Amino acid sequence: MGTSELAMGWIKDEIGRAVGLPREIGGIPLNEIGATGFGLVAAIDVAREQIGLSLTGARVVVQGFGSVGQHAARFLAEKGAVLVGASDTSGTIADQDGLDLAAFLALKAEGPALIDHPRVRKLGTDAVIDIPCDIWIPAARPDVIHAGNVGRLQTRIVAEGANIPLSAEAEQTLATRGVLVLPDFHRQCGRRDLCRDRISRWDRGGSPCVYRREDPRQHQGRSRRSAARRCVTTHCGDIASHRAGAPGDADAAMGSAVRVNCTG
């Protein structure tokens, strides 16, 4: 968490082996190409099919505009979604008509905070929870949504781009409301596949420094969609049943619909 290609280079210097290395020494620049954000969007693309949500015009809010959140917003925008809210440690920006994603990506690349942009509606950091949307992506730190604030979320899908951003109680509450929660292990899909490919090269005796793919979509996507589809299609029925008031408790709905490990 919080590492970069440079940090992974330091690790390689110490132990002789690491993934996510800088391009200059033959690595895959995972943060630069947005591998984790791509894996998250692959799962979202499958999930939205199950609840009848089109990505064209879908409203997206991203909490945490770093290496995961930025790329998730970018890949979703390529599919027609609209970024209506985003936050970083400086605060929240929002516009129901859509934010200028390209401008904010350029701004963050230069280093300033999101609220440094001169022509946006600026809110407090916590206000990102209150923005109505179709897809809400926590992509920063753990424990963002809990029993005390989960009622403020107004969304159809929560796609966990951070590590354990929702408490078990919050996930249970969302399940009872019929909100589809994609668990955090889904968002590891893009990064994990690229890393696994690199490690398999070592295990086969190949060179870990020969890698020319620059776009995660050239490497994987079908496998991620397959894994996500197995999870979502199998367990969306539990969400639908719970929404309709069918027998079964909230723990069962949450456990099956939210926390099914389908990364295999």
Side-chain angles (χ1 to χ4, degrees):
M1 180 176 178
T3 60
S4 64
E5 279 77 35
L6 177 60
M8 300 313 293
W10 295 338
I11 293 173
K12 182 178 185 298
D13 287 343
E14 292 294 326
I15 68 173
R17 180 167 171 166
V19 294
L21 296 171
R23 185 196 310 273
E24 291 77 10
I25 57 175
I28 311 169
L30 296 175
N31 288 338
E32 179 183 330
I33 64 178
T36 304
F38 179 76
L40 181 65
V41 171
I44 291 172
D45 200 18
V46 169
R48 62 92 188 167
E49 295 172 355
Q50 304 304 314
I51 63 172
L53 174 66
S54 171
L55 286 182
T56 301
R59 299 166 300 160
V60 177
V61 172
V62 177
Q63 184 266 335
F65 210 64
S67 59
V68 177
Q70 288 185 42
H71 291 294
R74 177 169 63 86
F75 287 125
L76 283 169
E78 290 177 0
K79 294 179 177 293
V82 179
L83 182 69
V84 298
S87 72
D88 59 14
T89 56
S90 69
T92 298
I93 56 173
D95 188 338
Q96 282 296 316
D97 292 329
L99 296 165
D100 186 347
L101 178 58
F104 289 109
L105 291 174
L107 181 72
K108 291 296 287 186
E110 296 174 359
L114 285 174
I115 62 172
D116 288 340
H117 193 283
R119 293 185 297 278
V120 291
R121 180 185 174 204
K122 302 170 184 179
L123 306 168
T125 304
D126 194 50
V128 71
I129 300 172
D130 302 305
I131 303 172
C133 61
D134 300 299
I135 303 167
W136 198 82
I137 301 176
R141 55 184 176 81
D143 305 317
V144 173
I145 302 298
H146 46 76
N149 62 12
V150 66
R152 294 161 53 188
L153 278 179
Q154 305 170 66
T155 188
R156 298 181 66 184
I157 295 175
V158 174
E160 298 184 1
N163 292 317
I164 321 177
L166 275 65
S167 70
E169 293 81 5
E171 290 179 339
Q172 178 177 327
T173 298
L174 291 171
T176 63
R177 286 169 46 189
V179 176
L180 182 58
V181 179
L182 297 178
D184 48 8
F185 49 74
H186 265 306
R187 68 99 172 167
Q188 302 286 354
C189 296
R191 193 179 190 96
R192 187 194 68 174
D193 273 6
L194 290 174
C195 292
R196 182 175 58 188
D197 180 84
R198 172 58 58 88
I199 292 170
S200 71
R201 288 171 177 267
W202 277 318
D203 292 341
R204 295 194 304 269
S207 170
C209 294
V210 179
Y211 204 99
R212 293 185 172 83
R213 292 188 180 98
E214 297 295 330
D215 190 327
R217 290 167 292 188
Q218 297 176 15
H219 173 68
Q220 47 81 48
R222 183 177 302 173
S223 62
R224 291 305 93 226
R225 288 183 60 83
S226 297
R229 191 178 300 281
R230 285 197 300 272
C231 180
V232 175
T233 57
T234 301
H235 302 286
C236 261
D238 295 313
I239 295 176
S241 297
H242 199 84
R243 185 190 298 119
D249 60 23
D251 285 337
M254 187 276 288
S256 60
V258 177
R259 281 289 165 200
V260 179
N261 192 329
C262 62
T263 56

